[in-house]
Amino acid sequence: KYQSQIAIGNVGAATVGILYLPWACLLGSMLRDENGSISVLGLIEITGGALTAWIIAMAPAMWAACAIFSGSIDPELIKFAHVLTWCVFDTTYMVTTVEMFALGLYIVLHKKQTIFPKWCGWLSFIVGYMFMLLVLIPFIDGGPFAVGGVVNFWLQMVGWLGWMSCITFYMMKSLRSRAEVAQLRTAHSY
């Protein structure tokens, strides 16, 4: 009944999801070492962000395919593809966790960085660590740790979106500050 709407929504989600890639690349490029080069932690952020973006785009594309083929192929195949996609989407958490731990390490250990307050580093560790509960999804059919459960869906999603919002706020603040400094330098050079 709702196959078209589900397919359109998931194609839209895949299209928007891939925008995590430029976000992660920008974030990784901001993680500089004392020499001004992108740090190893910045490279981990970029790599983890690229893989996370792929997962964020791939899963909705698979769900769109499930909606498109629903009603025309065996329902057990649709269920298999749907469950497989959830397993891949959620149990590859370690890619995003490594990315978040790299950012957390950069913020907490890099004393001269002024982009993020220290609590953003600790938030990166906490939210990244929370993702480890996603490994339970293939083994649990109901309750808070299931696919749609309070912990493994709602808490994880709110935590990740909250983390991303905080990091984005400080990224934008830093970029605005850099732009203002560049404008001042340009104005004074004339």
Side-chain angles (χ1 to χ4, degrees), residues 89-171:
F89 183 72
D90 283 334
T91 61
T92 55
Y93 73 88
M94 71 289 294
V95 171
T96 309
T97 294
V98 168
E99 169 196 359
M100 295 172 87
F101 280 10
L103 177 62
L105 285 170
Y106 179 85
I107 294 169
V108 171
L109 299 178
H110 196 280
K111 305 293 183 202
K112 294 182 181 178
Q113 74 85 21
T114 58
I115 301 169
F116 306 101
K118 293 277 186 249
W119 66 264
C120 284
W122 295 110
L123 180 65
S124 295
F125 291 132
I126 292 166
V127 175
Y129 184 74
M130 281 176 25
F131 282 161
M132 291 182 185
L133 294 171
L134 294 171
V135 78
L136 299 172
I137 283 180
F139 309 105
I140 297 176
D141 291 330
F145 298 104
V147 168
V150 171
V151 173
N152 273 353
F153 183 80
W154 295 105
L155 186 62
Q156 301 288 358
M157 196 59 68
V158 168
W160 182 72
L161 290 172
W163 167 80
M164 191 174 173
S165 297
C166 290
I167 298 303
T168 301
F169 173 80
Y170 287 105
M171 287 170 64

Side-chain angles (χ1 to χ4, degrees), residues 17-150:
I18 201 68
L19 295 177
Y20 190 81
L21 176 61
W23 180 87
C25 288
L26 176 60
L27 175 56
S29 74
M30 296 173 83
L31 307 184
R32 302 283 174 162
D33 62 20
E34 288 78 24
N35 302 324
S37 300
I38 295 177
S39 67
V40 171
L41 296 172
L43 293 173
I44 293 170
E45 170 61 42
I46 292 168
T47 305
L51 293 170
T52 298
W54 170 251
I55 293 165
I56 292 171
M58 183 275 307
M62 295 292 291
W63 291 318
C66 287
I68 290 166
F69 289 109
S70 177
S72 63
I73 62 174
D74 184 351
E76 289 300 313
L77 286 175
I78 298 294
K79 181 179 179 181
F80 169 76
H82 179 75
V83 171
L84 174 66
T85 302
W86 268 114
C87 286
V88 170
F89 183 72
D90 283 334
T91 61
T92 55
Y93 73 88
M94 71 289 294
V95 171
T96 309
T97 294
V98 168
E99 169 196 359
M100 295 172 87
F101 280 10
L103 177 62
L105 285 170
Y106 179 85
I107 294 169
V108 171
L109 299 178
H110 196 280
K111 305 293 183 202
K112 294 182 181 178
Q113 74 85 21
T114 58
I115 301 169
F116 306 101
K118 293 277 186 249
W119 66 264
C120 284
W122 295 110
L123 180 65
S124 295
F125 291 132
I126 292 166
V127 175
Y129 184 74
M130 281 176 25
F131 282 161
M132 291 182 185
L133 294 171
L134 294 171
V135 78
L136 299 172
I137 283 180
F139 309 105
I140 297 176
D141 291 330
F145 298 104
V147 168
V150 171

